[in-house]
C-alpha cells in the first residue's frame, strides 16, 4: 500500500482567477445531438450513463440535432424568446435603478434565462415551481404583471408582499410560483412534500424545484432527495450549475469530483445533465421528466450547465474573484442568442423582428418602472405601518395587537 | 365516560381527526405499522390504512420540510418527532420556513402543520432523551407552542392544534404518559385512572389555544407551571400547606396573559416552575411579563425553580429535576418575604 509520509489537505481552486485565462475544459462538452434519449418510462437503472453525458440540441449553427430535439410550435418558441428578452431587459433596468439608490438590492439572472423560461412553458397552470431568487424568467413566461415585480422591488405602498421581503424574493401562488426565501435549499423539501401531497390526493399536479450547484452541499438537499426517492414523489429537482456561488466555484460543492447530475445515481433516480443555455434542450429535458412524474414514475434530477454572467447580486464585484473574460469565454454561449439564431435559421424570425422585440421589451420595462416610481421607490411610500403586524398568525395574538397599538399611537 | 392515560388520549385525538378530516395525515419515524415508540399512533395505520399514517425516513429535517410542502398544498399533516432532543435538525425548517411562510408571502402560502414530540426527563434518558426545548420555540415569532398536563387536556389541545392553520409545536411531557407524576420517583407510579382528568370523551372536543387553567385556587402565591411541573407544583403546595394558586399555562404561545396577571395581582407573589434550564428559559419571559404587568402588586421577588444550567445528567436525574422539595422551598421563601 502506498503511504505518504504526511497527509495534505486538498483545498480546491477554480480553473482561473483574475488575470488567468478562462478555462472550461472541465465541462467535457460533446457535440449537440450525441446523447441518447431513453423513453421516459424506462427504468432509472437503465440510464445510469446519462448524468455523465450532456443533453444538447442546438448546434453552433442553431440547428436542432439528435433524439432530444423537441417538436415545439413556433409560437411557443416566440413566447420563450420574448420572455427571455424581457427578463434581461428587466434585470438590466432594475440593476441600474439599484445603482441609482432607488432600491436596496437586486439579483440578475443574466445568462440563465432559458432554464427558467422553458420549464415555465412546459409546466401546467396547476403545477408548482419552487424557485430560487434567480428564476424570475418563470414569471415572465407566464405574463405575471411587471408592475407587481417593480412594486415588490421598491417595497412600496402597492408591494404585493406588503414590504416584508428583500427585492426579488417574490411569491405568486396564482402563477404557480412558491414563496422565495434567502435561505438556501430550505424549500426543496417543500417541493417534494407538495408533490407527495398531489400523489396522495390522486391529483395530476407536479412540482419543480430549483437550487444552485452551491446549495447541493446543504443537508436539506440530501433529505429532499431521500424523500423524493422513497415516496416516488412527482417532482423535478433542477440544479442550476452556473459555476459560481458568490465567489465559491462549483468545486467547493464537489463539482470537481463528479457531475451534479450524478448525485441522482446514489438515490436510484434518473439524472440528466443538460445544456442549460440551450432552450430546446431545457424544454425537452423538463418535458421528459414531467412525463415521468405524471406517469407516477417519480422524481428526476436535472443539472443545467450554465453560467452566471453577472455578479451574484448588486453586493459583489465578480472581478475580485474570477477573470473578467470568463463570461464571454463560456463555451455554451448565450441562451437568447442561441434561440434567436435557431429561429432565424428555421425561418420563424428575423433580425428585424428581434430588434423590434428588444425595443418593445425595453419600452415596456421603462414604462412599468415609471409607473412603479410613481407609486414610490424604496422608502418613499410604504404599505400601511400597521400591516407589519398582520400575517404573523392567521389571527394576531395579544402581542401583535398591543404592539400595533403602540406603533400606531 | 372512558378513562384514558395520556398516550391513549393522544391516540384518541388523532383517531378523531383522521375520521373527521379527510385531508389529515400522520407520518414520522416508526409511527406507521409499529405505532410509534411510545404507542401514540398504535392501531391507526391498521384502522385508516398506510396512506393516512405512515413511516418516514430517519430525517427530522426532511419530515418537517415535506410536511410544510404538504400543508402548502392543502393537506393537514401531523408529524411525530420521536424525541424533542432530536428536533434540532428540523429547527431551520421550523424557524425559517414554517414560522414565516405566511408572513413573508403576505398570506399566499401557509403551513398548517402540527409537530408532536415527547419532551422532558424522569425516564433515565440522560442528555439525549430528556430535554425541554420549549423556550427555543416559544421565542420564534410565528410558531405556537402547546404543552398539556393531563389526558383530557392532551386530547382537547391536540385537536385544537391540528385544527389550527398556523404551525404548532405540541410538546408531550413523556413522564406523564402513564400517570400524573408529582416528582416523587421513590414512590410507586400512580396511574391516570385515579385522576379526574383521565375521564376523556370518546368524540371530538377542542380546548382553545391560549387559555390557561387554574388547577388549584389559592390566595398566598401564584405558581406558573406547565407539563409535568403542574403536578409537582400541586404536590409542593399540598406538602407545604401553602395556599398556592397553581396555574397550568397549557399553551406558551399564545400565552393567556390575562389569567396570569389577574392571579398575581390577587396573590402579590409569583413562583415560576419549569424543568428546562433556567438561563433564558421560558420562565425568564414569564418573570419579565409579571414584573411589567404586576410590579405594583408584588410583595416579594419573583422566584424561579428550574432545571440547572447543565445538560440533563443520567446519574443525577433527580438532582437536576426540580422536584416538590425545591418548589416547596421557593414557595416558603416567596410567601415569607417581606417588602
Amino acid at each position: 500500500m502506498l503511504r505518504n509520509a504526511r497527509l495534505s489537505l486538498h483545498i480546491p481552486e477554480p480553473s482561473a482567477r483574475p488575470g488567468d485565462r478562462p478555462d472550461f475544459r472541465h465541462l467535457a462538452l460533446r457535440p449537440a445531438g450525441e446523447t441518447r434519449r431513453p423513453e421516459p418510462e424506462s427504468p432509472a437503472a437503465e440510464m445510469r450513463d446519462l448524468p455523465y453525458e450532456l443533453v444538447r440540441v442546438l448546434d453552433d449553427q442553431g440547428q436542432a440535432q439528435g433524439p432530444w430535439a423537441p417538436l415545439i410550435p413556433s409560437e411557443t418558441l416566440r413566447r420563450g424568446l420574448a420572455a427571455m428578452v424581457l427578463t434581461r431587459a428587466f434585470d438590466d433596468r432594475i440593476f441600474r435603478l439599484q445603482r441609482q439608490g432607488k432600491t436596496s438590492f437586486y439579483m440578475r439572472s443574466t445568462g440563465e434565462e432559458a432554464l427558467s423560461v422553458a420549464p415555465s412553458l412546459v409546466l401546467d397552470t396547476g403545477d408548482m415551481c419552487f424557485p430560487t431568487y434567480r428564476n424570475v424568467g418563470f414569471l415572465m413566461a407566464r405574463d405575471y404583471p411587471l408592475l407587481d415585480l417593480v412594486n415588490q422591488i421598491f417595497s412600496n405602498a402597492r408591494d404585493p408582499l406588503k414590504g416584508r421581503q428583500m427585492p426579488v424574493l417574490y411569491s405568486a401562488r396564482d402563477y404557480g410560483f412558491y414563496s422565495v426565501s434567502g435561505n438556501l435549499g430550505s424549500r426543496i423539501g417543500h417541493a417534494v412534500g407538495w408533490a407527495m401531497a398531489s400523489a396522495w390526493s390522486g391529483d395530476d399536479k407536479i412540482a419543480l424545484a430549483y437550487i444552485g450547484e452551491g446549495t447541493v452541499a446543504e443537508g436539506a438537499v440530501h433529505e429532499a432527495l431521500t424523500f423524493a426517492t422513497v415516496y416516488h414523489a412527482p417532482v423535478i429537482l433542477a440544479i442550476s450549475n452556473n459555476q459560481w456561488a458568490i465567489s465559491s466555484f462549483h468545486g467547493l460543492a464537489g463539482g470537481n469530483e463528479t457531475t451534479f447530475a450524478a448525485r441522482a445515481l446514489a438515490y436510484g433516480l434518473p439524472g440528466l445533465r443538460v445544456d442549460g443555455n440551450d432552450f430546446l434542450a431545457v424544454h425537452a429535458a423538463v418535458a421528459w421528466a414531467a412525463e415521468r412524474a405524471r406517469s407516477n414514475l417519480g422524481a428526476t434530477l436535472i443539472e443545467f450547465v450554465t453560467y452566471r454572467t453577472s455578479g451574484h447580486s448588486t453586493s459583489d464585484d465578480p472581478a475580485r474573484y474570477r477573470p473578467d473574460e470568463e463570461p464571454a469565454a463560456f463555451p455554451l454561449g448565450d441562451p437568447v442568442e442561441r434561440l434567436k439564431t435557431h429561429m432565424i435559421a428555421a425561418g420563424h424570425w428575423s433580425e428585424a423582428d428581434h430588434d423590434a422585440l428588444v425595443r418593445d421589451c425595453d419600452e415596456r420595462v421603462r414604462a412599468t418602472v415609471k409607473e412603479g416610481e410613481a407609486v414610490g421607490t424604496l422608502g418613499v411610500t410604504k404599505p400601511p405601518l400597521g400591516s407589519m403586524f398582520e400575517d404573523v398568525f392567521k389571527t394576531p395574538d395579544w402581542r401583535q395587537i398591543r404592539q400595533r397599538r403602540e406603533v400606531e399611537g | 365516560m372512558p378513562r384514558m392515560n395520556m398516550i391513549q388520549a393522544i391516540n384518541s385525538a388523532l383517531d378523531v381527526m383522521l375520521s373527521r378530516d379527510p385531508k389529515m395525515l400522520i407520518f414520522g419515524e416508526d409511527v406507521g405499522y409499529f405505532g410509534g415508540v411510545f404507542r401514540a399512533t398504535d392501531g391507526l395505520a391498521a384502522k385508516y390504512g398506510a396512506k393516512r399514517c405512515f413511516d418516514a425516513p430517519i430525517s427530522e429535517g426532511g419530515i418537517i420540510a415535506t410536511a410544510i410542502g404538504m400543508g402548502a398544498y392543502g393537506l393537514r399533516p401531523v408529524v411525530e418527532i420521536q424525541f424533542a432532543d432530536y428536533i434540532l435538525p428540523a429547527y431551520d425548517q421550523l424557524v425559517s420556513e414554517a414560522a414565516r411562510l405566511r408572513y413573508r408571502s403576505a398570506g399566499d402560502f401557509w403551513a398548517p402543520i402540527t409537530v408532536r414530540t415527547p419532551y422532558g426527563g424522569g425516564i433515565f434518558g440522560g442528555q439525549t432523551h430528556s430535554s425541554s426545548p420549549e423556550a427555543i420555540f416559544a421565542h420564534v415569532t410565528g410558531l405556537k407552542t402547546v404543552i398539556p398536563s393531563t389526558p383530557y387536556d392532551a386530547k382537547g389541545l391536540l385537536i385544537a392544534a391540528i385544527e389550527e392553520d398556523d404551525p404548532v409545536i405540541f410538546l408531550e411531557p413523556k413522564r406523564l404518559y402513564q400517570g400524573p407524576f408529582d416528582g416523587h420517583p421513590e414512590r410507586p407510579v400512580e396511574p391516570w385512572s385515579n385522576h379526574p382528568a383521565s375521564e376523556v370523551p370518546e368524540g371530538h372536543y377542542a380546548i382553545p389555544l391560549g387559555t390557561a387553567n387554574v388547577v388549584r385556587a389559592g390566595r398566598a402565591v401564584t405558581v406558573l407551571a406547565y407539563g409535568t411541573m403542574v403536578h409537582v407544583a400541586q404536590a409542593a403546595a399540598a406538602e407545604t400547606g401553602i395556599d398556592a394558586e397553581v396555574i397550568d399555562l397549557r399553551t406558551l404561545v399564545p400565552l393567556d396573559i390575562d389569567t396570569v396577571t389577574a392571579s398575581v395581582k390577587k396573590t402579590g407573589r409569583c413562583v415560576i416552575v419549569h424543568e428546562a434550564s433556567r438561563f433564558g428559559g421560558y420562565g425568564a419571559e414569564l418573570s419579565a411579563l409579571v414584573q411589567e404587568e404586576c410590579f405594583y402588586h408584588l410583595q416579594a421577588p419573583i422566584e424561579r425553580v428550574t432545571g440547572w444550567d447543565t445538560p440533563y445528567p443520567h446519574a443525577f436525574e433527580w438532582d437536576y429535576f426540580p422536584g416538590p422539595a425545591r418548589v416547596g422551598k421557593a414557595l416558603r421563601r416567596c410567601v415569607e418575604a417581606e417588602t
Side-chain angles (χ1 to χ4, degrees):
Chain A
M1 185 190 283
L2 278 174
R3 293 188 66 143
N4 287 330
R6 283 171 193 271
L7 295 169
S8 64
L9 179 68
H10 173 63
I11 298 172
E13 274 295 321
S15 56
R17 286 294 192 187
D20 298 337
R21 268 172 77 99
D23 180 355
F24 285 104
R25 277 172 299 181
H26 60 270
L27 292 180
L29 298 184
R30 43 201 314 129
E34 277 199 356
T35 298
R36 72 187 184 97
R37 180 186 184 273
E39 287 307 309
E41 61 272 19
S42 309
E46 291 176 10
M47 48 180 99
R48 295 177 67 84
D49 52 322
L50 290 179
Y52 303 108
E53 305 286 327
L54 184 65
V55 175
R56 302 181 70 187
V57 172
L58 290 174
D59 66 15
D60 292 344
Q61 286 72 45
Q63 300 291 335
Q65 304 288 354
W68 288 91
L71 291 171
I72 304 178
S74 56
E75 174 52 29
T76 305
L77 293 180
R78 274 197 293 272
R79 277 183 64 197
L81 186 67
M84 290 202 290
V85 169
L86 181 62
T87 302
R88 190 163 296 182
F90 188 81
D91 278 351
D92 287 345
R93 180 85 191 178
I94 306 291
F95 188 87
R96 289 201 301 276
L97 285 178
Q98 192 276 342
R99 289 294 187 245
Q100 294 162 10
K102 291 182 178 173
T103 191
S104 55
F105 178 81
Y106 193 66
M107 304 178 91
R108 290 187 283 189
S109 53
T110 309
E112 298 176 51
E113 293 92 343
L115 64 88
S116 297
V117 169
S120 183
L121 298 174
V122 172
L123 292 196
D124 291 344
T125 49
D127 298 332
M128 187 63 73
C129 170
F130 292 75
T132 73
Y133 37 61
R134 224 181 287 285
N135 296 125
V136 72
F138 190 95
L139 287 174
M140 297 294 188
R142 296 187 168 204
D143 297 323
Y144 183 81
L146 282 185
L147 183 57
D148 285 348
L149 297 178
V150 173
N151 288 336
Q152 194 280 329
I153 288 161
F154 287 154
S155 276
N156 66 20
R158 296 213 193 113
D159 174 2
L161 301 185
K162 303 188 185 175
R164 292 174 188 160
Q165 286 271 53
M166 283 175 76
V168 314
L169 303 186
Y170 312 113
S171 177
R173 186 184 188 118
D174 294 343
Y175 292 78
F177 195 86
Y178 191 72
S179 164
V180 187
S181 116
N183 305 45
L184 296 183
S186 61
R187 284 96 51 224
I188 184 169
H190 302 191
V192 173
W194 194 95
M196 286 169 67
S198 173
W200 190 92
S201 306
D203 295 339
D204 61 358
K205 299 170 191 162
I206 64 172
L208 163 69
Y210 288 97
I211 55 171
E213 90 285 349
T215 298
V216 173
E218 291 281 6
V221 175
H222 168 61
E223 294 163 1
L225 281 163
T226 300
F227 277 71
T229 302
V230 168
Y231 298 107
H232 296 188
V235 60
I236 303 166
L237 303 168
I239 299 166
S240 167
N241 177 7
N242 66 11
Q243 314 300 320
W244 291 97
I246 309 185
S247 74
S248 301
F249 85 112
H250 60 89
L252 279 168
N256 277 353
E257 318 301 331
T258 187
T259 70
F260 291 102
R263 298 293 193 283
L265 299 177
Y267 297 90
L269 292 175
L272 299 178
R273 185 165 172 263
V274 177
D275 178 345
N277 289 5
D278 177 341
F279 185 92
L280 298 190
V282 173
H283 195 285
V286 171
W288 183 91
E291 191 176 335
R292 278 187 73 87
R294 285 194 218 282
S295 310
N296 229 12
L297 294 171
T300 301
L301 182 69
I302 303 178
E303 173 188 354
F304 292 120
V305 180
T306 183
Y307 189 83
R308 197 195 72 207
T309 303
S310 50
H312 167 71
S313 72
T314 46
S315 303
D316 64 314
D317 174 8
R320 303 284 294 273
Y321 51 79
R322 70 184 190 191
D324 281 338
E325 304 78 21
E326 203 178 77
F330 182 64
L332 294 175
D334 176 79
V336 174
E337 286 303 313
R338 287 176 68 192
L339 181 57
K340 172 189 152 192
T341 305
H342 169 68
M343 288 167 63
I344 291 174
H348 305 317
W349 199 243
S350 69
E351 290 286 356
D353 290 336
H354 199 79
D355 290 345
L357 172 66
V358 170
R359 272 199 309 276
D360 176 59
C361 288
D362 284 343
E363 179 49 36
R364 273 183 66 196
V365 170
R366 203 187 60 78
T368 310
V369 164
K370 220 171 165 184
E371 268 185 88
E373 286 177 327
V375 179
T377 55
L378 179 67
V380 174
T381 67
K382 292 178 185 181
L385 181 57
S387 72
M388 178 166 80
F389 297 96
E390 294 166 2
D391 302 320
V392 175
F393 298 107
K394 189 177 182 186
T395 49
D397 71 25
W398 57 270
R399 297 170 301 168
Q400 292 88 42
I401 293 168
R402 282 190 190 182
Q403 290 165 16
R404 180 176 185 156
R405 210 176 291 145
E406 186 177 333
V407 162
E408 288 181 331
Chain B
M1 196 174 294
R3 289 198 176 265
M4 298 185 195
N5 64 30
M6 192 182 281
I7 280 288
Q8 291 162 333
I10 288 165
N11 184 275
S12 174
L14 297 171
D15 191 346
V16 164
M17 291 311 292
L18 281 167
S19 67
R20 275 173 75 95
D21 184 351
K23 291 190 182 300
M24 190 281 227
L25 75 162
I26 297 167
F27 64 105
E29 295 159 19
D30 300 301
V31 306
Y33 185 86
F34 178 56
V37 296
F38 287 104
R39 320 303 307 149
T41 55
D42 190 24
L44 297 177
K47 184 171 176 183
Y48 295 95
K51 187 182 155 188
R52 305 294 302 282
C53 180
F54 57 87
D55 290 328
I58 302 170
S59 172
E60 292 78 14
I63 289 169
I64 303 298
T66 49
I68 294 168
M70 290 178 183
Y73 189 91
L75 304 186
R76 202 164 279 278
V78 179
V79 297
E80 177 177 306
I81 300 296
Q82 202 161 81
F83 286 88
D85 310 74
Y86 303 143
I87 204 167
L88 296 177
Y91 195 56
D92 182 42
Q93 282 298 319
L94 292 166
V95 175
S96 312
E97 296 294 331
R100 299 191 195 161
L101 185 57
R102 182 192 295 279
Y103 190 76
R104 76 167 192 241
S105 71
D108 225 5
F109 297 94
W110 59 96
I113 67 171
T114 303
V115 182
R116 293 183 38 246
T117 188
Y119 85 96
I123 62 153
F124 282 106
Q127 51 89 30
T128 54
H129 296 79
S130 306
S131 60
S132 296
E134 68 273 13
I136 65 172
F137 297 111
H139 181 62
V140 176
T141 305
L143 295 179
K144 297 188 172 178
T145 305
V146 178
I147 304 184
S149 70
T150 67
Y152 180 87
D153 282 2
K155 180 171 177 180
L157 289 167
L158 181 54
I159 286 174
I162 296 169
E163 290 176 339
E164 275 283 323
D165 286 336
D166 293 310
V168 181
I169 309 296
F170 192 86
L171 292 159
E172 299 169 2
K174 61 173 112 55
R175 181 64 213 228
L176 297 186
Y177 275 156
Q178 304 301 332
F181 177 67
D182 65 0
H184 286 288
E186 70 286 0
R187 297 181 191 163
V189 174
E190 178 87 1
W192 273 112
S193 52
N194 299 333
H195 193 285
S198 69
E199 286 196 357
V200 178
E202 297 262 22
H204 175 277
Y205 66 93
I207 298 172
L209 305 189
T211 54
N213 189 21
V214 180
V215 294
R216 184 189 194 284
R219 308 190 63 81
V221 56
T222 297
V223 183
L224 303 179
Y226 46 87
T228 311
M229 291 304 129
V230 171
H231 303 279
V232 173
Q234 287 173 276
E239 289 163 22
T240 55
I242 290 172
D243 185 22
E245 178 147 295
V246 179
I247 298 179
D248 176 1
L249 297 177
R250 299 201 290 199
T251 65
L252 309 194
V253 178
L255 174 67
D256 185 350
I257 184 76
D258 295 338
T259 298
V260 170
T261 54
S263 176
V264 176
K265 284 177 181 173
K266 180 179 77 178
T267 63
R269 297 170 199 265
C270 182
V271 173
I272 297 159
V273 189
H274 60 61
E275 193 178 339
S277 301
R278 172 180 307 223
F279 190 89
Y282 190 71
E285 178 61 36
L286 289 173
S287 176
L289 280 171
V290 167
Q291 186 275 135
E292 286 164 7
E293 305 280 320
C294 310
F295 181 79
Y296 294 106
H297 294 80
L298 285 175
Q299 298 165 43
I302 300 163
E303 289 270 354
R304 280 187 288 165
V305 189
T306 68
W308 305 120
D309 286 314
T310 70
Y312 219 122
H314 189 241
F316 302 111
E317 176 153 52
W318 300 114
D319 303 286
Y320 180 96
F321 185 91
R326 272 165 62 194
V327 176
K329 244 189 242 173
L331 288 177
R332 268 197 217 94
R333 264 199 312 274
C334 194
V335 294
E336 287 165 8
E338 303 281 345
T339 46

